[in-house]
């Protein structure tokens, strides 16, 4: 595979010069048998947790009663996962080794990025990742392209960073690539457009999902105008398929339903920064996810982590690593994702059925094929132009 293209000319000035990890500058490469005098490192013998244990259900929701036990020990490495002494200690901004190792394996299997030097970095979920990705390419007063309707958390990040969103038109498949091309071609702002932020699957709030053809068209426009794509994709593994024609709302076999390829899987240049989260597919307050990007971008992400969160909770990373590496394994993880998709497909089907029954003539909508959102256009009748006509 080829190496990623060097797009460092798109960085804001602060990040164009390669910086060394501030953590490693002070801490070196910490080991359990090294006494570190530089970083205020607490001795692991003072950590009060001797063991962490959890009962975990089987990966398939269709198998009630099947459970297993997950445990983390103070000094003993647990299968592929680090000991509690390691998980609870300071570590660098890349993330715990076992956690990242699983995510590399899973990313390769799910997306097969088409360039050689990609890597993953642990994150605290996508809202934090959005802020970090934007800060690499935009500074105060700059502009970033966003969808016509976009995730409020991302827009809030832009407000605090004093980066101005530039909306691009959408249709039922998300960003309109013709409108994006026109926007970039006619841009006359004081600083160039360097990045676009998109939610390509089960978009928040519209529920739109880009087809493969749409993703390819978007990527081609990004290549033409030298844009970085921030691919925020927390709903990617909640692709639900079309609404069945029959009343059997649980008939879809998720094992046979293929996923629309991600933008990362089309990224021959290394211009996609992909953001994934466990919030929708394990639990939100685990506050863990991962970023996939070329290695030279991840060097900057590491520095951003180390100057803010350091890394996500080592204990949480350890629990997830133990679950995915050793308790379920990658086959069990995929089984869990398929069961999750089936569960949300059934919920989607019921919701749409009820909406069609009770909102006929009052609202129109497109049935979402992924995610958690049903975007409605409400017919207000006379109230659309006459506020006094609004029923009370």
């Amino acid at each position: 595979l080829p190496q990623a293209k060097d797009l460092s000319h798109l960085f804001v000035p602060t990040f164009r010069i390669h910086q060394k990890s501030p953590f490693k500058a002070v801490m070196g490469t910490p080991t359990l048998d090294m006494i570190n005098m530089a970083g205020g490192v607490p001795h692991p013998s003072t950590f009060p947790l001797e063991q962490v244990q959890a009962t975990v259900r089987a990966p398939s929701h269709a198998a009630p009663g099947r459970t297993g036990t997950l445990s983390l020990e103070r000094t003993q490495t647990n299968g592929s996962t680090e000991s509690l002494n390691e998980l609870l200690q300071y570590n660098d901004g890349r993330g715990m080794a076992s956690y990242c190792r699983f995510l590399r394996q899973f990313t390769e299997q799910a997306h097969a990025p088409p360039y050689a030097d990609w890597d993953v970095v642990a994150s605290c979920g996508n809202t934090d990742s959005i802020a970090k990705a934007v800060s690499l390419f935009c500074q105060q007063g700059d502009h970033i392209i966003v969808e016509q309707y976009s995730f409020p958390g991302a827009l809030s990040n832009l407000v605090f960073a004093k980066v101005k969103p530039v909306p691009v038109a959408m249709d039922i498949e998300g960003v309109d690539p013709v409108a994006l091309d026109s926007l970039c071609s006619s841009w006359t702002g004081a600083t160039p457009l360097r990045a676009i932020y998109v939610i390509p699957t089960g978009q928040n709030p519209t529920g739109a999902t880009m087809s493969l053809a749409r993703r390819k068209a978007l990527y081609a426009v990004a290549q033409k105008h030298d844009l970085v794509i921030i691919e925020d994709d927390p709903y990617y593994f909640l692709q639900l398929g079309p609404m069945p024609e029959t009343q059997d709302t649980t008939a879809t076999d998720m094992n046979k339903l293929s996923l629309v390829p991600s933008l990362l899987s089309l990224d021959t240049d290394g211009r996609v920064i992909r953001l994934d989260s466990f919030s929708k597919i394990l639990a939100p307050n685990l506050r863990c996810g991962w970023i996939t990007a070329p290695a030279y971008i991840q060097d900057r992400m590491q520095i951003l982590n180390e100057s803010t969160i350091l890394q996500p909770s080592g204990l949480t990373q350890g629990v997830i690593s133990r679950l995915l590496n050793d308790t379920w394994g990658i086959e069990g993880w995929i089984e869990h994702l398929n069961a999750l998709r089936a569960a949300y497909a059934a919920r989607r089907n019921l919701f749409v059925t009820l909406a069609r029954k009770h909102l006929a003539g009052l609202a129109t909508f497109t049935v979402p094929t992924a995610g958690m959102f049903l975007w409605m256009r409400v017919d207000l009748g006379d109230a659309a132009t006459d506020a006094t006509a609004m029923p009370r």
Side-chain angles (χ1 to χ4, degrees), residues 305-378:
N305 270 351
E306 290 171 1
S307 62
T308 52
I309 62 167
L310 192 55
Q311 67 166 246
S313 163
L315 184 59
T316 304
Q317 289 184 75
V319 169
I320 294 173
S321 170
R322 187 79 166 112
L323 174 67
L324 301 185
N325 277 306
D326 304 313
T327 306
W328 285 355
I330 195 149
E331 291 180 358
W333 171 236
I334 292 171
E335 182 184 349
H336 165 78
L337 292 175
N338 285 335
L340 202 62
R341 292 164 66 199
Y344 278 109
R347 290 171 179 268
R348 184 272 315 267
N349 297 346
L350 177 60
F351 190 94
V352 168
T353 299
L354 293 173
R356 285 171 171 170
K357 177 181 178 181
H358 296 290
L359 298 178
L362 299 175
T364 58
F365 54 85
T366 299
V367 178
T369 57
M372 297 179 169
F373 301 99
L374 185 69
W375 182 254
M376 294 185 176
R377 183 177 295 274
V378 178

Side-chain angles (χ1 to χ4, degrees), residues 57-66 250 255 335-340 342-343:
R57 70 183 179 194
S60 173
H61 300 314
R66 286 173 53 200
T250 60
N255 292 291
E335 182 184 349
H336 165 78
L337 292 175
N338 285 335
L340 202 62

Side-chain angles (χ1 to χ4, degrees), residues 79-359:
S80 301
T81 305
E82 295 84 354
S83 68
L84 279 174
N85 279 355
E86 295 168 280
L87 294 169
L88 296 174
Q89 190 54 275
Y90 289 123
N91 219 300
D92 67 29
R94 292 277 174 168
M96 300 306 299
S98 65
Y99 176 88
C100 292
R101 185 166 55 247
F102 178 87
L103 293 174
R104 287 187 198 97
Q105 178 189 2
F106 180 57
T107 298
E108 177 62 44
Q109 184 167 329
H111 306 290
Y115 62 94
D117 53 331
W118 61 272
D119 201 0
V120 301
V121 164
S123 76
C124 272
N126 284 14
T127 302
D128 184 59
S129 299
I130 293 164
K132 290 182 166 70
V134 168
S135 72
L136 288 176
F137 302 99
C138 299
Q139 57 191 356
Q140 183 175 332
D142 283 346
H143 296 75
I144 185 171
I145 304 168
V146 300
E147 293 148 313
Q148 181 179 2
Y149 307 101
S150 194
F151 171 44
L155 297 177
S156 177
N157 269 330
L158 299 182
V159 170
F160 285 114
K162 297 184 179 178
V163 173
K164 301 172 186 177
V166 180
V168 63
M170 300 174 66
D171 59 20
I172 60 171
E173 284 194 37
V175 169
D176 179 348
V178 174
L180 176 61
D181 185 31
S182 176
L183 171 66
C184 294
S185 298
S186 61
W187 179 250
T188 57
T191 56
L193 296 170
R194 294 188 287 267
I196 178 171
Y197 166 76
V198 295
I199 307 170
T201 312
Q203 201 262 356
N204 180 354
T206 69
T209 295
M210 295 184 188
S211 65
L212 176 57
R214 176 61 58 90
R215 293 174 198 236
K216 288 180 176 179
L218 170 64
Y219 190 80
V221 175
Q223 287 180 307
K224 176 181 176 181
H225 294 285
D226 201 19
L227 297 174
V228 166
I229 302 172
I230 301 174
E231 180 182 26
D232 181 12
D233 218 1
Y235 306 101
Y236 182 78
F237 297 103
L238 294 184
Q239 295 186 45
L240 312 176
M243 179 90 173
E245 297 298 327
T246 67
Q247 294 301 308
D248 181 4
T249 60
T250 60
T252 304
D253 184 353
M254 292 299 170
N255 292 291
K256 296 179 180 178
L257 181 66
S258 60
L259 300 179
V260 180
S262 64
L263 288 165
L264 175 64
S265 72
L266 307 175
D267 185 21
T268 52
D269 294 347
R271 66 177 63 250
V272 172
I273 299 177
R274 180 177 172 83
L275 314 181
D276 280 282
S277 172
F278 285 113
S279 291
K280 315 299 180 184
I281 52 180
L282 274 182
N285 219 24
L286 290 171
R287 303 316 307 144
C288 267
W290 69 102
I291 302 167
T292 309
Y296 74 94
I297 292 179
Q298 301 293 41
D299 290 341
R300 275 76 174 179
M301 287 293 183
Q302 177 178 350
I303 291 169
L304 286 167
N305 270 351
E306 290 171 1
S307 62
T308 52
I309 62 167
L310 192 55
Q311 67 166 246
S313 163
L315 184 59
T316 304
Q317 289 184 75
V319 169
I320 294 173
S321 170
R322 187 79 166 112
L323 174 67
L324 301 185
N325 277 306
D326 304 313
T327 306
W328 285 355
I330 195 149
E331 291 180 358
W333 171 236
I334 292 171
E335 182 184 349
H336 165 78
L337 292 175
N338 285 335
L340 202 62
R341 292 164 66 199
Y344 278 109
R347 290 171 179 268
R348 184 272 315 267
N349 297 346
L350 177 60
F351 190 94
V352 168
T353 299
L354 293 173
R356 285 171 171 170
K357 177 181 178 181
H358 296 290
L359 298 178

